[in-house]
């Protein structure tokens, strides 16, 4: 996450591509912390976080952190049915933008 996080209201007003970038930074930082990864390590975005070693208990704690930080409710099914950071970032971006959550993988 950047040294000076964007205030939530300002985050909500960002264009979709910038919103996605900011959410990705936040989510990656939280997942790296939960997976005990170093800051300079790459987190594979398209690999299931369960395959990376994340437990359902840690995922629940991550969900609560994200809900508090972003002030929204995250559907638990999304976390378990499509368990990659990339998919979660798209879901949260759509949720923050007020759209119906859809996943569009990167080309």
């Amino acid at each position: 996450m950047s040294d000076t996080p964007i205030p939530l209201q300002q985050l909500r007003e960002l264009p979709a591509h910038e919103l996605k970038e900011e959410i990705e930074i936040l989510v990656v930082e939280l997942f790296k912390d939960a997976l005990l990864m170093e800051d300079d390590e790459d987190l594979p975005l398209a690999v299931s976080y369960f395959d990376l070693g994340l437990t359902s208990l840690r995922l629940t704690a991550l969900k609560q952190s994200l809900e508090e930080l972003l002030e929204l409710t995250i559907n638990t099914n999304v976390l378990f049915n499509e368990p990659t950071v990339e998919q979660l970032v798209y879901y949260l971006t759509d949720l923050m933008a007020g759209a119906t959550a859809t996943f569009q993988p990167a080309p």
Side-chain angles (χ1 to χ4, degrees):
M1 189 164 35
S2 58
D3 293 332
T4 54
I6 294 178
L8 187 58
Q9 183 57 37
Q10 188 176 348
L11 187 67
R12 292 179 191 275
E13 295 171 0
L14 289 174
H17 70 281
E18 290 179 34
L19 177 61
K20 181 195 167 289
E21 290 172 11
E22 292 297 324
I23 289 174
E24 184 173 311
I25 290 167
L26 172 66
V27 170
V28 167
E29 180 178 299
L30 289 172
F31 271 79
K32 280 184 171 186
D33 187 48
L35 292 166
L36 306 175
M37 295 175 71
E38 299 293 326
D39 289 340
D40 61 346
E41 286 184 81
D42 287 330
L43 176 69
L45 302 182
V47 175
S48 166
Y49 27 78
F50 295 116
D51 290 343
L52 297 173
L54 193 69
T55 65
S56 57
L57 185 58
R58 284 192 189 246
L59 182 59
T60 301
L62 275 170
K63 175 185 178 287
Q64 290 173 335
S65 294
L66 285 167
E67 287 178 330
E68 289 172 12
L69 288 168
L70 300 175
E71 294 181 4
L72 26 100
T73 302
I74 300 170
N75 184 334
T76 304
N77 290 333
V78 171
L79 298 173
F80 289 95
N81 293 339
E82 299 179 359
T84 69
V85 171
E86 182 179 44
Q87 291 166 318
L88 180 58
V89 167
Y90 277 102
Y91 172 80
L92 293 173
T93 301
D94 286 346
L95 205 55
M96 288 287 294
T100 302
T102 56
F103 171 64
Q104 301 167 353

